Amino acid sequence: MKTSISLGRFAPALAGTASAVAIAALCGVTAALAQDTTAAPEAAAAAPAVTPEVAYIFNTLLFLIGGFLVMWMAAGFAMLEAGLVRSKNVSMQCLKNIALYSVAGLLFWLTGYNLMYTGVDGGFIGSFGPYSFDPVGGNALDTGYSTASDWFYQMVFCATAASVVSGTLAERIKLWPFMLFTVVLTGLMYPITGSWQWGGGWLNKMGFSDFAGSTLVHSVGGWAALAGALILGARKGKYAPGGQVNAMPGSSMPLATLGTFILWLGWFGFNGASQLAMGTIGDVSDISRIFANTNIAAAAGVVVAMILTQILYKKVDVTMALNGALAGLVAITAEPLQPTVLQAIIVGGVGAAIVVFAVPMLDKLKIDDVVGAIPVHLMAGIWGTFIVPWSNAGTSFGTQIVGIVSIGAFTFIASAIVWLILKATVGIRVTEEEEVLGLDKVEIGVEAYPEFGTGSQRM
């Protein structure tokens, strides 16, 4: 990882220091025009840098563009989940996704950002308390970018982790216990493990590397989802006596496909803007390379999933193809800059293969994951994080394993404790009768498709 990247992730802890001022001053772009292809490389390298003010604008713009692309992923998760659940639960998934995004926004301001980035100093946790933005018209250059843009970009990552949990536990979990868990996940659990690496905590000091969050975002959501699925139990009728697995087809493959394309688009902000600087030609070049590797890994994921399902089941499974794309994206997220094209293809392809084999494995274990989020986000996230040293010589497999295991253990145990407390107090699962009727009707009273559901009887 480049110096500008690592310092960019931890710049909140550097604000006001001489190092931060130096970083801002160095975030310049050369004055050579892009269309002047005859200019010698030496002349371009020697061209004067832009002012820190201009670099500040470019860096802030990167955060804002990346941030709204990742925010758009919330729509992708909503559409993906709406398509993969049954018709009677579509409205509930839409509600949960807009609600969890909103809760993440509030909690990451209230305490999440400071827990993750302020005062970690090589330790295990930051500081409690709400985050303060720059004043109106603020022009401080000591960070190299607007603090509000940085907060916004980091916040949408937090919301993404919570989105992973929503799909796994669909069709049988109560709304309000899920929202209470989201409060704990986005306000405490995600920021704490994030501080270990991106906040300059103990894993960062060890040399652990996770460029954009294969483990810190996706596997964290996956571990929380796994704990919830084990404690919540499977949907009624999913697993019959004798080991039979009953398929429960989703309501809309077009919606699920749209959601996947939206997520694929948003991932360019997720990975590309994690460069965290756009003030030099080198940074912009690297962002472009990240975009290309991200796209190639996802494409490889689709093709591998299609080939494997054709071989195994004699038919291509569209849901596996969609999750193959997402698995490729998750896998490349830990290191999207350094891999060659062939390495990116292999990383994404193996991620998809993991999903194809993990989905039936979970069914054998009677772990009901409605949308396949555990194989996609947890397992492909582990793979992508583990394989980082293959392309990044500055990392080691041992350190990567320490990071994967420590973050996984903390998140799984903490999540299980929260789920068990909620189960023992307010309850987390709807009744069998309510599950049969559908959560749209019994939990929120709004059917997604009234013309085709029970609502059609009143028309």
Side-chain angles (χ1 to χ4, degrees):
M1 185 177 295
K2 290 178 60 180
T3 303
S4 62
I5 301 168
S6 59
L7 290 176
R9 275 288 185 192
F10 318 131
L14 297 174
T17 67
S19 297
V21 175
I23 293 166
L26 289 171
C27 288
V29 295
T30 67
L33 297 176
Q35 58 266 39
D36 186 10
T37 57
T38 61
E42 294 82 2
V50 298
T51 64
E53 288 83 359
V54 174
Y56 180 101
I57 293 170
F58 277 114
N59 295 336
T60 297
L61 186 62
L62 177 67
F63 280 143
L64 295 177
I65 293 174
F68 70 62
L69 280 171
V70 180
M71 183 272 173
W72 187 228
M73 291 174 70
F77 278 111
M79 294 301 95
L80 177 68
E81 293 172 23
L84 293 181
V85 300
R86 290 169 290 180
S87 300
K88 60 186 179 180
N89 297 306
V90 170
S91 288
M92 171 62 90
Q93 290 310 110
C94 293
L95 175 61
K96 282 164 60 181
N97 275 277
I98 195 169
L100 68 86
Y101 177 82
S102 303
V103 166
L106 294 171
L107 266 294
F108 204 68
W109 167 79
L110 183 64
T111 192
Y113 187 95
N114 279 337
L115 274 177
M116 193 163 174
Y117 287 108
T118 304
V120 183
D121 300 328
F124 294 86
I125 192 171
S127 306
F128 287 92
Y131 184 66
S132 298
F133 303 132
D134 290 332
V136 175
N139 58 1
L141 300 177
D142 54 353
T143 58
Y145 47 76
S146 161
T147 57
S149 70
D150 177 51
W151 175 87
F152 175 65
Y153 186 61
Q154 307 300 344
M155 180 276 293
V156 291
F157 275 58
C158 178
T160 299
S163 297
V164 174
V165 185
S166 172
T168 294
L169 307 181
E171 300 201 308
R172 75 271 200 203
I173 192 167
K174 293 180 179 179
L175 173 63
W176 288 109
F178 172 79
M179 297 313 303
L180 289 173
F181 180 83
T182 301
V183 168
V184 179
L185 177 65
T186 58
L188 292 174
M189 287 191 287
Y190 170 82
I192 289 173
T193 52
S195 74
W196 296 352
Q197 165 64 9
W198 289 343
W202 69 280
L203 279 177
N204 172 259
K205 301 303 180 185
M206 284 186 63
F208 177 71
S209 180
D210 188 356
F211 189 99
S214 288
T215 284
L216 291 167
V217 180
H218 295 283
S219 285
V220 163
W223 285 114
L226 177 61
L230 291 171
I231 293 168
L232 182 65
R235 289 169 289 175
K236 179 179 174 59
K238 176 65 176 177
Y239 303 116
Q244 179 183 347
V245 179
N246 296 318
M248 295 182 171
S251 63
S252 173
M253 289 306 102
L255 269 187
T257 304
L258 174 63
T260 301
F261 273 118
I262 292 173
L263 287 166
W264 194 328
L265 172 64
W267 231 286
F268 296 121
F270 202 97
N271 287 357
S274 288
Q275 178 74 3
L276 300 179
M278 197 169 65
T280 68
I281 288 177
D283 282 323
V284 174
S285 176
D286 285 351
I287 292 169
S288 303
R289 183 183 174 99
I290 291 168
F291 271 48
N293 276 343
T294 297
N295 195 71
I296 285 169
V302 173
V303 173
V304 168
M306 291 176 64
I307 293 172
L308 285 178
T309 53
Q310 179 67 52
I311 293 172
L312 295 172
Y313 307 115
K314 310 307 178 186
K315 291 183 177 67
V316 176
D317 186 332
V318 63
T319 63
M320 284 291 193
L322 300 178
N323 276 335
L326 299 178
L329 290 163
V330 170
I332 200 65
T333 293
E335 183 49 83
L337 174 59
Q338 300 293 340
T340 64
V341 171
L342 181 59
Q343 286 176 321
I345 290 172
I346 293 172
V347 169
V350 172
I354 288 171
V355 169
V356 172
F357 291 107
V359 168
M361 180 192 72
L362 289 180
D363 280 335
K364 288 181 180 179
L365 297 172
K366 296 185 177 181
I367 299 174
D368 189 8
D369 180 358
V370 177
V371 303
I374 293 171
V376 168
H377 297 277
L378 172 55
M379 297 182 184
I382 290 173
W383 154 249
T385 308
F386 170 75
I387 203 63
V388 165
W390 184 36
S391 59
N392 188 337
T395 60
S396 72
F397 288 107
T399 303
Q400 294 301 102
I401 291 172
V402 169
I404 292 167
V405 171
S406 59
I407 292 171
F410 174 88
T411 305
F412 181 81
I413 293 171
S415 297
I417 291 171
V418 175
W419 285 125
L420 287 170
I421 291 173
L422 289 171
K423 182 177 181 179
T425 53
V426 297
I428 59 176
R429 182 164 184 148
V430 299
T431 66
E432 286 191 8
E433 180 182 2
E434 291 171 334
E435 187 177 340
V436 170
L437 290 171
L439 303 189
D440 288 1
K441 182 175 182 179
V442 301
E443 281 273 284
I444 58 178
V446 177
E447 293 177 274
Y449 308 109
E451 293 89 347
F452 305 102
T454 57
S456 63
Q457 301 168 13
R458 301 190 295 271
M459 295 181 183

